[in-house]
Amino acid sequence: MNSILEDWNATAKAYELFNNAEDSYSYNTEWPAVREMLPELAGKTVLDLGCGTGIFTFMPEREHPAQITGIDLSDEMLGIALRKAEAQGSGARFIQGDATYTRRYIDAPG
């Protein structure tokens, strides 16, 4: 897993530049396709696994979920996401973790 982490850390800045422009593939192709598959998000809890720099964490935030959490293995990716969250006044939270263990990040119903 160290090589995976090293690879994503090494590409974090380039990944952000590639994905973050309003005319990017992520905004114009990926997000519309993902959004079409999602239910209504208002008031729901959203978990973005492998959130990278947060592009798909911030987009659903526009629909007012109760909570949105991004999880990624790469501390470099998360650093970028955290800086963007602060700059945007986002309520999203970010956790460094392995998506293999998704249940760790979901609050069990009471």
Side-chain angles (χ1 to χ4, degrees), residues 64-108:
H64 311 289
Q67 177 183 342
I68 189 159
T69 303
I71 298 169
D72 203 277
L73 190 62
S74 167
D75 54 320
E76 293 291 328
M77 293 274 195
L78 290 173
I80 293 169
L82 287 166
R83 287 189 292 278
K84 287 172 30 180
E86 185 177 331
Q88 301 177 159
S90 170
R93 67 181 184 141
F94 293 93
I95 300 170
Q96 185 174 15
D98 185 341
T100 305
Y101 306 105
T102 303
R103 297 294 290 158
R104 293 180 183 174
Y105 312 109
I106 299 172
D107 295 329

Side-chain angles (χ1 to χ4, degrees), residues 11-65:
T11 60
K13 289 178 186 171
Y15 180 87
E16 173 64 5
L17 290 172
F18 178 77
N19 285 302
N20 203 40
E22 289 287 332
D23 64 347
S24 73
Y25 177 80
S26 292
Y27 276 97
N28 294 303
T29 303
E30 288 178 317
W31 175 245
V34 169
R35 181 61 199 106
E36 190 172 306
M37 293 184 282
L38 294 173
E40 175 65 36
L41 298 177
K44 299 222 166 105
T45 298
V46 177
L47 184 61
D48 182 6
L49 298 173
C51 68
T53 62
I55 187 167
F56 292 125
T57 310
F58 299 121
M59 286 183 189
E61 194 171 33
R62 299 173 187 166
E63 298 181 34
H64 311 289

